[in-house]
Amino acid sequence: MSAAQMRVLLVGNGGREHALALALSRTAEVWCTRPNPGIAALARAVDVAPLDVAGIVEFARSARPDLVVVGPEAPLCAGLADELLAAGVAVLGPRQAAARIEGSKIFAKALMDEARIPTAGWTVVQSPADALEWARGRAAPPVVKADGLMAGKGVIVPDTVDEVPAAVEGLLPAGPVLLEDRLIGPEVSVIGLCDGRDVLALPSARDHKRIYDGDKGPNTGGMGAISPAPGVDDALVEVIRRTVLVPALAALAARGTPFVGFLYAGVMLTPQGPRVLEFNCRLGDPEAQVLLARLRGDVARLFLDAANGQLAGSSLDVDPRAAACVVLAAPGYPGVTSLGGEISGLWAGDAVGAQVLHAGTRRGADGAVETAGGRVLGVTALGHDVAAAVSAAYRRVEGVRFPGMQFRKDIGATAH
Ligand code: AMP
Ligand code: GLY
């Protein structure tokens, strides 16, 4: 390690962070908050929880990393970036006021209207009766959303108008509820690396949110991803960059809350054009696994430039190959999962060129790696096209086992 090597503190310890650690460790020394065993092979462990804002700031004050890269949204929404900046530490991740674009869906809708970003029609309701009245006036039953962070459980897509009041009632204890016109079309994630003013769009990606093949069953954090998303070429990514990411960034800057970090637009490709479903203030998971597999070059330096407001004139070095990630989940996920199952096949068979990225894993008392979360591993591979990347990932999946392992067999195969 040369004396000039950058030192990066990575906050988070899941699959997205393993992908980040892999990319950052090409050129930087990486430290990570309570790393899972996969990240621990690449990074020095810092014994502070990823959500312990005060603990992370205290560590950064004394260790003085060149950059802190924040994976998950919760510490950002809790003000981690503000406190690191106050301590004089560079951070890739938005301040609390800009992280509201994910932390409050109502805030995000108001910002989209202000910036004329195409999105579904919407209203905010405080009672089931108001919800029913609004819903009756729309062309289709509206989608019902909680305002705040709900760990993926805050969106209900009713089949009939009659289901709307009960859905609203269930979410009202958490605050006012957002109703949104239901849109139809394939979904795509477009994520921008932002320095507060400029934005570089990463390639397109597509998540697979439902637990079962054919997009059946309950929503999950994401069961797999591909990049690029079929039918979403560079020209369409550029349209989304110009009509969604750039105006969002400009509106946040105009409010005095510039956005630094990864701005994630979840977009539906409707017959009328792209419409934003949601913003996140971070990389997606498992989108990060496929996107970072395609990013070449010195990403640590690029991330530092973004944190310092110096992206102007930079560009991304993107691998033209496609990437796929197949998530292996614990039994019962996304419901109650049973954990502690021993995982075999982690280290063998990398000959096919796939990476077994750790998400919810830990080392058991006997030193063996075992399951420790709903999403356990993300097997990620490159290929000359999506189909080749997907089959390379599935070939590697065959070598991995743990009790009750479940995964989708159709990543990249469905039309969505
Ligand atoms: P969100 O967390 O807002 O992205 O919503 C989660 C999922 O719900 C999305 O990925 C879509 O599949 C679905 N969804 C959200 N909003 C809408 C909408 N307005 N119309 C149709 N489906 C939606
Ligand atoms: N994969 C979707 C998300 O990270 O929000």
Side-chain angles (χ1 to χ4, degrees):
M1 250 174 263
S2 73
Q5 194 176 33
M6 260 179 75
R7 298 174 311 153
V8 178
L9 170 63
L10 176 59
V11 173
N13 55 12
R16 165 183 51 212
E17 287 76 27
H18 192 177
L20 280 163
L22 205 58
L24 289 166
S25 64
R26 287 202 298 263
T27 55
E29 179 186 343
V30 181
W31 303 330
C32 180
T33 52
R34 300 203 177 147
N36 65 37
I39 301 173
L42 303 165
R44 276 167 55 180
V46 175
D47 189 19
V48 177
L51 305 187
D52 177 0
V53 170
I56 294 164
V57 174
E58 190 187 320
F59 174 81
R61 273 184 198 280
S62 63
R64 310 302 309 175
D66 298 300
L67 176 67
V68 180
V69 175
V70 185
E73 65 279 12
L76 294 168
C77 291
L80 176 59
D82 306 70
E83 294 205 26
L84 287 168
L85 291 168
V89 177
V91 54
L92 185 64
R95 289 178 182 266
Q96 187 172 40
R100 282 189 81 198
I101 199 162
E102 172 164 4
S104 166
K105 287 184 189 284
I106 295 170
F107 172 89
K109 294 297 280 193
L111 187 90
M112 284 188 260
D113 281 1
E114 177 189 315
R116 299 178 185 277
I117 295 169
T119 187
W122 60 287
T123 191
V124 176
V125 295
Q126 311 266 7
S127 75
D130 289 350
L132 190 59
E133 192 183 324
W134 192 80
R136 286 206 170 117
R138 312 307 285 184
V143 177
V144 181
K145 299 185 177 187
D147 181 44
L149 295 180
M150 299 281 285
K153 306 231 183 307
V155 177
I156 299 156
V157 185
D159 289 322
T160 66
V161 170
D162 296 339
E163 293 167 38
V164 170
V168 169
E169 188 145 27
L171 296 178
L172 272 174
V177 171
L178 175 67
L179 299 187
E180 209 177 79
D181 282 329
R182 183 166 179 176
L183 303 175
I184 295 187
E187 289 180 43
V188 56
S189 308
V190 175
I191 300 173
L193 175 64
C194 306
D195 72 354
R197 196 180 38 221
D198 288 303
V199 50
L200 299 177
L202 276 57
S204 67
R206 177 162 296 149
D207 189 7
H208 297 60
K209 287 202 167 109
R210 306 296 191 100
I211 184 77
Y212 300 128
D213 288 8
D215 292 329
K216 301 275 187 328
N219 261 322
T220 70
M223 292 300 291
I226 52 173
S227 174
V232 185
D233 58 11
D234 291 349
L236 184 48
V237 170
E238 177 55 21
V239 167
I240 293 169
R241 192 187 77 86
R242 253 189 313 103
T243 59
V244 174
L245 297 176
V246 169
L249 215 56
L252 286 166
R255 288 177 176 212
T257 57
F259 188 101
V260 174
F262 292 101
L263 181 58
Y264 169 131
V267 175
M268 194 166 261
L269 303 172
T270 76
Q272 290 75 38
R275 298 281 183 273
V276 176
L277 296 180
E278 64 164 343
F279 281 112
N280 294 322
C281 66
R282 53 174 173 83
L283 280 168
D285 185 338
E287 286 94 331
Q289 286 84 322
V290 289
L291 292 173
L292 290 161
R294 299 186 62 200
L295 275 197
R296 302 188 292 206
D298 190 347
V299 298
R301 167 57 54 182
L302 191 70
F303 290 3
L304 182 64
D305 288 345
N308 288 335
Q310 291 169 345
L311 275 185
S314 302
S315 57
L316 299 174
D317 182 1
V318 176
D319 193 319
R321 287 176 294 175
C325 173
V326 177
V327 169
L328 308 181
Y333 180 77
V336 179
T337 52
S338 74
L339 306 176
E342 187 167 330
I343 308 170
S344 65
L346 284 174
W347 314 114
D350 280 338
V352 295
Q355 284 282 350
V356 181
L357 297 172
H358 291 228
T361 66
R362 67 182 176 216
R363 228 168 254 290
D366 59 357
V369 178
E370 57 185 40
T371 60
R375 292 188 292 172
V376 178
L377 301 165
V379 179
T380 305
L382 291 162
H384 62 84
D385 60 12
V386 166
V390 165
S391 55
Y394 278 117
R395 272 202 305 283
R396 185 63 184 89
V397 167
E398 283 167 23
V400 181
R401 294 261 186 294
F402 56 82
M405 177 170 113
Q406 48 167 344
F407 60 96
R408 280 182 59 163
K409 318 284 187 298
D410 68 342
I411 299 304
T414 46
H416 298 268

